[in-house]
mmCIF file of all heavy atoms in Angstrom:
data_model
loop_
_atom_site.group_PDB
_atom_site.id
_atom_site.type_symbol
_atom_site.label_atom_id
_atom_site.label_comp_id
_atom_site.label_asym_id
_atom_site.label_seq_id
_atom_site.Cartn_x
_atom_site.Cartn_y
_atom_site.Cartn_z
ATOM 1 N N SER A 1572 20.071 -21.155 -13.008
ATOM 2 C CA SER A 1572 20.376 -21.461 -14.432
ATOM 3 C C SER A 1572 20.391 -22.947 -14.595
ATOM 4 O O SER A 1572 20.226 -23.531 -15.666
ATOM 5 C CB SER A 1572 21.626 -20.868 -14.942
ATOM 6 O OG SER A 1572 22.789 -21.424 -14.185
ATOM 7 N N LYS A 1573 20.602 -23.753 -13.463
ATOM 8 C CA LYS A 1573 20.725 -25.161 -13.468
ATOM 9 C C LYS A 1573 19.346 -25.844 -13.234
ATOM 10 O O LYS A 1573 19.271 -27.077 -13.162
ATOM 11 C CB LYS A 1573 21.761 -25.587 -12.449
ATOM 12 C CG LYS A 1573 23.143 -25.037 -12.741
ATOM 13 C CD LYS A 1573 24.003 -25.640 -11.646
ATOM 14 C CE LYS A 1573 25.526 -24.988 -11.958
ATOM 15 N NZ LYS A 1573 26.500 -25.417 -10.925
ATOM 16 N N LEU A 1574 18.377 -24.962 -12.989
ATOM 17 C CA LEU A 1574 17.025 -25.580 -12.637
ATOM 18 C C LEU A 1574 16.037 -25.480 -13.792
ATOM 19 O O LEU A 1574 16.179 -24.503 -14.612
ATOM 20 C CB LEU A 1574 16.461 -24.758 -11.411
ATOM 21 C CG LEU A 1574 17.256 -24.808 -10.106
ATOM 22 C CD1 LEU A 1574 16.704 -23.886 -9.072
ATOM 23 C CD2 LEU A 1574 17.380 -26.268 -9.605
ATOM 24 N N PRO A 1575 15.068 -26.366 -13.946
ATOM 25 C CA PRO A 1575 14.125 -26.275 -14.953
ATOM 26 C C PRO A 1575 13.179 -25.081 -14.916
ATOM 27 O O PRO A 1575 12.942 -24.503 -13.785
ATOM 28 C CB PRO A 1575 13.260 -27.539 -14.853
ATOM 29 C CG PRO A 1575 13.484 -27.981 -13.478
ATOM 30 C CD PRO A 1575 14.850 -27.539 -13.023
ATOM 31 N N SER A 1576 12.626 -24.561 -15.988
ATOM 32 C CA SER A 1576 11.830 -23.404 -15.959
ATOM 33 C C SER A 1576 10.551 -23.624 -15.178
ATOM 34 O O SER A 1576 9.953 -22.539 -14.632
ATOM 35 C CB SER A 1576 11.419 -23.020 -17.391
ATOM 36 O OG SER A 1576 10.699 -24.056 -18.057
ATOM 37 N N SER A 1577 10.110 -24.793 -14.992
ATOM 38 C CA SER A 1577 8.916 -25.129 -14.150
ATOM 39 C C SER A 1577 9.144 -24.603 -12.683
ATOM 40 O O SER A 1577 8.144 -24.201 -11.989
ATOM 41 C CB SER A 1577 8.562 -26.552 -14.184
ATOM 42 O OG SER A 1577 9.649 -27.339 -13.713
ATOM 43 N N VAL A 1578 10.376 -24.760 -12.244
ATOM 44 C CA VAL A 1578 10.636 -24.304 -10.858
ATOM 45 C C VAL A 1578 10.559 -22.750 -10.831
ATOM 46 O O VAL A 1578 10.005 -22.173 -9.871
ATOM 47 C CB VAL A 1578 12.098 -24.685 -10.559
ATOM 48 C CG1 VAL A 1578 12.443 -24.215 -9.101
ATOM 49 C CG2 VAL A 1578 12.195 -26.248 -10.480
ATOM 50 N N GLY A 1579 10.916 -22.090 -11.938
ATOM 51 C CA GLY A 1579 10.762 -20.652 -11.904
ATOM 52 C C GLY A 1579 9.361 -20.165 -11.817
ATOM 53 O O GLY A 1579 9.006 -19.247 -11.112
ATOM 54 N N TRP A 1580 8.419 -20.972 -12.489
ATOM 55 C CA TRP A 1580 6.995 -20.580 -12.436
ATOM 56 C C TRP A 1580 6.441 -20.860 -11.048
ATOM 57 O O TRP A 1580 5.532 -20.237 -10.524
ATOM 58 C CB TRP A 1580 6.202 -21.365 -13.513
ATOM 59 C CG TRP A 1580 6.407 -20.794 -14.784
ATOM 60 C CD1 TRP A 1580 7.206 -21.196 -15.873
ATOM 61 C CD2 TRP A 1580 5.913 -19.552 -15.254
ATOM 62 N NE1 TRP A 1580 7.161 -20.408 -16.935
ATOM 63 C CE2 TRP A 1580 6.397 -19.334 -16.664
ATOM 64 C CE3 TRP A 1580 5.156 -18.507 -14.722
ATOM 65 C CZ2 TRP A 1580 6.014 -18.217 -17.374
ATOM 66 C CZ3 TRP A 1580 4.794 -17.416 -15.483
ATOM 67 C CH2 TRP A 1580 5.224 -17.264 -16.798
ATOM 68 N N SER A 1581 7.005 -21.917 -10.362
ATOM 69 C CA SER A 1581 6.631 -22.233 -8.988
ATOM 70 C C SER A 1581 6.993 -21.108 -7.989
ATOM 71 O O SER A 1581 6.267 -20.775 -7.073
ATOM 72 C CB SER A 1581 7.274 -23.551 -8.425
ATOM 73 O OG SER A 1581 8.609 -23.384 -8.130
ATOM 74 N N VAL A 1582 8.109 -20.425 -8.348
ATOM 75 C CA VAL A 1582 8.540 -19.255 -7.527
ATOM 76 C C VAL A 1582 7.457 -18.146 -7.770
ATOM 77 O O VAL A 1582 7.031 -17.388 -6.783
ATOM 78 C CB VAL A 1582 9.928 -18.796 -7.888
ATOM 79 C CG1 VAL A 1582 10.229 -17.488 -7.197
ATOM 80 C CG2 VAL A 1582 10.915 -19.843 -7.622
ATOM 81 N N VAL A 1583 7.110 -18.004 -8.968
ATOM 82 C CA VAL A 1583 6.029 -16.852 -9.339
ATOM 83 C C VAL A 1583 4.802 -17.218 -8.515
ATOM 84 O O VAL A 1583 4.224 -16.293 -7.944
ATOM 85 C CB VAL A 1583 5.780 -16.944 -10.792
ATOM 86 C CG1 VAL A 1583 4.613 -15.989 -11.104
ATOM 87 C CG2 VAL A 1583 6.993 -16.494 -11.551
ATOM 88 N N VAL A 1584 4.372 -18.531 -8.533
ATOM 89 C CA VAL A 1584 3.174 -18.821 -7.780
ATOM 90 C C VAL A 1584 3.288 -18.569 -6.269
ATOM 91 O O VAL A 1584 2.409 -18.029 -5.632
ATOM 92 C CB VAL A 1584 2.766 -20.298 -8.045
ATOM 93 C CG1 VAL A 1584 1.617 -20.784 -7.138
ATOM 94 C CG2 VAL A 1584 2.458 -20.553 -9.504
ATOM 95 N N ALA A 1585 4.389 -18.941 -5.744
ATOM 96 C CA ALA A 1585 4.608 -18.771 -4.278
ATOM 97 C C ALA A 1585 4.608 -17.302 -3.920
ATOM 98 O O ALA A 1585 4.075 -16.904 -2.870
ATOM 99 C CB ALA A 1585 6.018 -19.445 -3.896
ATOM 100 N N ALA A 1586 5.233 -16.512 -4.700
ATOM 101 C CA ALA A 1586 5.344 -15.086 -4.494
ATOM 102 C C ALA A 1586 3.948 -14.463 -4.606
ATOM 103 O O ALA A 1586 3.599 -13.560 -3.881
ATOM 104 C CB ALA A 1586 6.276 -14.393 -5.511
ATOM 105 N N THR A 1587 3.169 -14.968 -5.517
ATOM 106 C CA THR A 1587 1.801 -14.432 -5.675
ATOM 107 C C THR A 1587 0.950 -14.778 -4.477
ATOM 108 O O THR A 1587 0.158 -13.936 -3.977
ATOM 109 C CB THR A 1587 1.104 -15.059 -6.936
ATOM 110 O OG1 THR A 1587 1.835 -14.737 -8.106
ATOM 111 C CG2 THR A 1587 -0.224 -14.533 -7.154
ATOM 112 N N ILE A 1588 1.012 -15.978 -4.017
ATOM 113 C CA ILE A 1588 0.278 -16.421 -2.742
ATOM 114 C C ILE A 1588 0.705 -15.545 -1.543
ATOM 115 O O ILE A 1588 -0.076 -15.071 -0.754
ATOM 116 C CB ILE A 1588 0.500 -17.828 -2.432
ATOM 117 C CG1 ILE A 1588 -0.115 -18.725 -3.594
ATOM 118 C CG2 ILE A 1588 -0.092 -18.315 -1.107
ATOM 119 C CD1 ILE A 1588 0.209 -20.265 -3.483
ATOM 120 N N PHE A 1589 2.097 -15.332 -1.478
ATOM 121 C CA PHE A 1589 2.596 -14.523 -0.396
ATOM 122 C C PHE A 1589 1.997 -13.109 -0.449
ATOM 123 O O PHE A 1589 1.498 -12.525 0.496
ATOM 124 C CB PHE A 1589 4.142 -14.487 -0.380
ATOM 125 C CG PHE A 1589 4.675 -13.427 0.502
ATOM 126 C CD1 PHE A 1589 4.687 -13.559 1.912
ATOM 127 C CD2 PHE A 1589 5.114 -12.219 -0.018
ATOM 128 C CE1 PHE A 1589 5.174 -12.550 2.745
ATOM 129 C CE2 PHE A 1589 5.625 -11.191 0.867
ATOM 130 C CZ PHE A 1589 5.624 -11.343 2.182
ATOM 131 N N GLN A 1590 2.055 -12.441 -1.563
ATOM 132 C CA GLN A 1590 1.616 -11.200 -1.764
ATOM 133 C C GLN A 1590 0.032 -11.038 -1.487
ATOM 134 O O GLN A 1590 -0.427 -10.080 -0.979
ATOM 135 C CB GLN A 1590 1.836 -10.605 -3.164
ATOM 136 C CG GLN A 1590 3.305 -10.236 -3.444
ATOM 137 C CD GLN A 1590 3.678 -9.016 -2.693
ATOM 138 O OE1 GLN A 1590 2.927 -8.081 -2.532
ATOM 139 N NE2 GLN A 1590 4.927 -9.033 -2.071
ATOM 140 N N SER A 1591 -0.696 -12.085 -1.895
ATOM 141 C CA SER A 1591 -2.169 -12.185 -1.695
ATOM 142 C C SER A 1591 -2.355 -12.098 -0.079
ATOM 143 O O SER A 1591 -3.217 -11.381 0.344
ATOM 144 C CB SER A 1591 -2.712 -13.366 -2.307
ATOM 145 O OG SER A 1591 -2.502 -13.446 -3.683
ATOM 146 N N LEU A 1592 -1.739 -13.030 0.531
ATOM 147 C CA LEU A 1592 -1.936 -13.143 1.956
ATOM 148 C C LEU A 1592 -1.453 -11.831 2.757
ATOM 149 O O LEU A 1592 -2.037 -11.366 3.744
ATOM 150 C CB LEU A 1592 -1.170 -14.334 2.591
ATOM 151 C CG LEU A 1592 -1.778 -15.676 2.184
ATOM 152 C CD1 LEU A 1592 -0.806 -16.848 2.656
ATOM 153 C CD2 LEU A 1592 -3.204 -15.892 2.709
ATOM 154 N N TYR A 1593 -0.410 -11.261 2.169
ATOM 155 C CA TYR A 1593 0.074 -9.997 2.801
ATOM 156 C C TYR A 1593 -1.028 -8.907 2.638
ATOM 157 O O TYR A 1593 -1.300 -8.163 3.630
ATOM 158 C CB TYR A 1593 1.380 -9.541 2.112
ATOM 159 C CG TYR A 1593 1.763 -8.138 2.509
ATOM 160 C CD1 TYR A 1593 2.365 -7.871 3.743
ATOM 161 C CD2 TYR A 1593 1.536 -7.057 1.660
ATOM 162 C CE1 TYR A 1593 2.713 -6.568 4.178
ATOM 163 C CE2 TYR A 1593 1.819 -5.764 2.014
ATOM 164 C CZ TYR A 1593 2.345 -5.485 3.211
ATOM 165 O OH TYR A 1593 2.713 -4.201 3.649
ATOM 166 N N GLY A 1594 -1.559 -8.813 1.484
ATOM 167 C CA GLY A 1594 -2.600 -7.738 1.245
ATOM 168 C C GLY A 1594 -3.793 -7.955 2.164
ATOM 169 O O GLY A 1594 -4.274 -6.949 2.736
ATOM 170 N N TYR A 1595 -4.204 -9.190 2.360
ATOM 171 C CA TYR A 1595 -5.348 -9.465 3.152
ATOM 172 C C TYR A 1595 -4.990 -9.204 4.630
ATOM 173 O O TYR A 1595 -5.823 -8.533 5.329
ATOM 174 C CB TYR A 1595 -5.794 -10.959 3.016
ATOM 175 C CG TYR A 1595 -7.038 -11.269 3.802
ATOM 176 C CD1 TYR A 1595 -8.232 -11.153 3.171
ATOM 177 C CD2 TYR A 1595 -7.014 -11.695 5.142
ATOM 178 C CE1 TYR A 1595 -9.474 -11.476 3.861
ATOM 179 C CE2 TYR A 1595 -8.136 -11.972 5.806
ATOM 180 C CZ TYR A 1595 -9.299 -11.891 5.114
ATOM 181 O OH TYR A 1595 -10.545 -12.131 5.860
ATOM 182 N N THR A 1596 -3.815 -9.665 5.085
ATOM 183 C CA THR A 1596 -3.483 -9.450 6.523
ATOM 184 C C THR A 1596 -3.226 -7.960 6.812
ATOM 185 O O THR A 1596 -3.689 -7.473 7.831
ATOM 186 C CB THR A 1596 -2.194 -10.248 6.832
ATOM 187 O OG1 THR A 1596 -2.368 -11.642 6.396
ATOM 188 C CG2 THR A 1596 -1.910 -10.232 8.317
ATOM 189 N N ASP A 1597 -2.625 -7.302 5.893
ATOM 190 C CA ASP A 1597 -2.363 -5.921 6.148
ATOM 191 C C ASP A 1597 -3.684 -5.093 6.354
ATOM 192 O O ASP A 1597 -3.822 -4.320 7.334
ATOM 193 C CB ASP A 1597 -1.650 -5.245 4.913
ATOM 194 C CG ASP A 1597 -1.425 -3.820 4.963
ATOM 195 O OD1 ASP A 1597 -0.722 -3.369 5.834
ATOM 196 O OD2 ASP A 1597 -1.983 -3.110 4.146
ATOM 197 N N THR A 1598 -4.683 -5.307 5.462
ATOM 198 C CA THR A 1598 -5.959 -4.633 5.680
ATOM 199 C C THR A 1598 -6.630 -5.109 6.863
ATOM 200 O O THR A 1598 -7.362 -4.311 7.565
ATOM 201 C CB THR A 1598 -6.806 -4.920 4.343
ATOM 202 O OG1 THR A 1598 -6.090 -4.560 3.245
ATOM 203 C CG2 THR A 1598 -8.087 -4.058 4.492
ATOM 204 N N THR A 1599 -6.571 -6.422 7.189
ATOM 205 C CA THR A 1599 -7.255 -6.927 8.351
ATOM 206 C C THR A 1599 -6.736 -6.318 9.634
ATOM 207 O O THR A 1599 -7.529 -6.120 10.617
ATOM 208 C CB THR A 1599 -7.089 -8.425 8.426
ATOM 209 O OG1 THR A 1599 -7.730 -9.048 7.260
ATOM 210 C CG2 THR A 1599 -7.715 -9.063 9.657
ATOM 211 N N ASN A 1600 -5.472 -6.038 9.632
ATOM 212 C CA ASN A 1600 -4.843 -5.395 10.870
ATOM 213 C C ASN A 1600 -5.480 -4.083 11.216
ATOM 214 O O ASN A 1600 -5.733 -3.719 12.303
ATOM 215 C CB ASN A 1600 -3.331 -5.362 10.767
ATOM 216 C CG ASN A 1600 -2.658 -6.669 10.916
ATOM 217 O OD1 ASN A 1600 -3.190 -7.577 11.579
ATOM 218 N ND2 ASN A 1600 -1.481 -6.822 10.242
ATOM 219 N N TYR A 1601 -5.677 -3.325 10.131
ATOM 220 C CA TYR A 1601 -6.314 -1.980 10.328
ATOM 221 C C TYR A 1601 -7.736 -2.135 10.745
ATOM 222 O O TYR A 1601 -8.218 -1.399 11.613
ATOM 223 C CB TYR A 1601 -6.186 -1.220 8.975
ATOM 224 C CG TYR A 1601 -4.831 -0.630 8.673
ATOM 225 C CD1 TYR A 1601 -3.990 -1.262 7.731
ATOM 226 C CD2 TYR A 1601 -4.346 0.492 9.358
ATOM 227 C CE1 TYR A 1601 -2.735 -0.671 7.530
ATOM 228 C CE2 TYR A 1601 -3.128 1.065 9.170
ATOM 229 C CZ TYR A 1601 -2.313 0.412 8.247
ATOM 230 O OH TYR A 1601 -1.100 1.026 7.985
ATOM 231 N N ASN A 1602 -8.423 -3.050 10.079
ATOM 232 C CA ASN A 1602 -9.895 -3.264 10.472
ATOM 233 C C ASN A 1602 -10.017 -3.736 11.862
ATOM 234 O O ASN A 1602 -10.936 -3.499 12.613
ATOM 235 C CB ASN A 1602 -10.528 -4.241 9.472
ATOM 236 C CG ASN A 1602 -10.724 -3.703 8.093
ATOM 237 O OD1 ASN A 1602 -10.774 -2.450 7.951
ATOM 238 N ND2 ASN A 1602 -10.884 -4.485 7.067
ATOM 239 N N TYR A 1603 -9.022 -4.604 12.330
ATOM 240 C CA TYR A 1603 -9.069 -5.099 13.676
ATOM 241 C C TYR A 1603 -9.058 -3.950 14.710
ATOM 242 O O TYR A 1603 -9.889 -3.985 15.635
ATOM 243 C CB TYR A 1603 -7.796 -5.977 13.866
ATOM 244 C CG TYR A 1603 -7.677 -6.676 15.215
ATOM 245 C CD1 TYR A 1603 -8.116 -7.956 15.383
ATOM 246 C CD2 TYR A 1603 -7.227 -6.026 16.286
ATOM 247 C CE1 TYR A 1603 -8.058 -8.658 16.567
ATOM 248 C CE2 TYR A 1603 -7.072 -6.702 17.463
ATOM 249 C CZ TYR A 1603 -7.460 -7.901 17.668
ATOM 250 O OH TYR A 1603 -7.381 -8.639 18.860
ATOM 251 N N VAL A 1604 -8.272 -2.985 14.578
ATOM 252 C CA VAL A 1604 -8.228 -1.892 15.516
ATOM 253 C C VAL A 1604 -9.428 -1.011 15.438
ATOM 254 O O VAL A 1604 -9.877 -0.439 16.307
ATOM 255 C CB VAL A 1604 -6.929 -1.066 15.393
ATOM 256 C CG1 VAL A 1604 -5.699 -2.017 15.645
ATOM 257 C CG2 VAL A 1604 -6.729 -0.376 14.061
ATOM 258 N N VAL A 1605 -9.862 -0.843 14.204
ATOM 259 C CA VAL A 1605 -11.168 -0.014 14.003
ATOM 260 C C VAL A 1605 -12.320 -0.618 14.720
ATOM 261 O O VAL A 1605 -13.121 0.049 15.333
ATOM 262 C CB VAL A 1605 -11.440 0.182 12.465
ATOM 263 C CG1 VAL A 1605 -12.808 0.824 12.301
ATOM 264 C CG2 VAL A 1605 -10.413 1.038 11.873
ATOM 265 N N ASP A 1606 -12.381 -1.990 14.793
ATOM 266 C CA ASP A 1606 -13.515 -2.634 15.415
ATOM 267 C C ASP A 1606 -13.327 -2.727 16.941
ATOM 268 O O ASP A 1606 -14.372 -2.799 17.642
ATOM 269 C CB ASP A 1606 -13.532 -4.147 14.953
ATOM 270 C CG ASP A 1606 -14.062 -4.199 13.466
ATOM 271 O OD1 ASP A 1606 -14.696 -3.268 13.073
ATOM 272 O OD2 ASP A 1606 -13.752 -5.253 12.815
ATOM 273 N N CYS A 1607 -12.086 -2.598 17.444
ATOM 274 C CA CYS A 1607 -12.009 -2.911 18.900
ATOM 275 C C CYS A 1607 -11.696 -1.637 19.722
ATOM 276 O O CYS A 1607 -11.600 -1.760 21.020
ATOM 277 C CB CYS A 1607 -10.857 -3.860 19.183
ATOM 278 S SG CYS A 1607 -9.133 -3.326 18.859
ATOM 279 N N VAL A 1608 -11.448 -0.509 19.094
ATOM 280 C CA VAL A 1608 -11.253 0.738 19.912
ATOM 281 C C VAL A 1608 -12.496 1.660 19.793
ATOM 282 O O VAL A 1608 -13.294 1.596 18.938
ATOM 283 C CB VAL A 1608 -10.025 1.437 19.536
ATOM 284 C CG1 VAL A 1608 -8.782 0.544 19.606
ATOM 285 C CG2 VAL A 1608 -10.170 2.054 18.121
ATOM 286 N N ALA A 1609 -12.578 2.601 20.779
ATOM 287 C CA ALA A 1609 -13.620 3.603 20.855
ATOM 288 C C ALA A 1609 -13.499 4.495 19.662
ATOM 289 O O ALA A 1609 -12.344 4.754 19.181
ATOM 290 C CB ALA A 1609 -13.647 4.238 22.153
#
Side-chain angles (χ1 to χ4, degrees):
S1572 61
K1573 300 178 181 179
L1574 300 174
S1576 59
S1577 59
V1578 176
W1580 285 106
S1581 74
V1582 176
V1583 172
V1584 171
T1587 301
I1588 295 173
F1589 168 75
Q1590 287 291 321
S1591 301
L1592 292 173
Y1593 170 77
Y1595 186 90
T1596 310
D1597 176 65
T1598 306
T1599 298
N1600 285 335
Y1601 284 102
N1602 289 339
Y1603 183 98
V1604 299
V1605 170
D1606 287 339
C1607 72
V1608 304

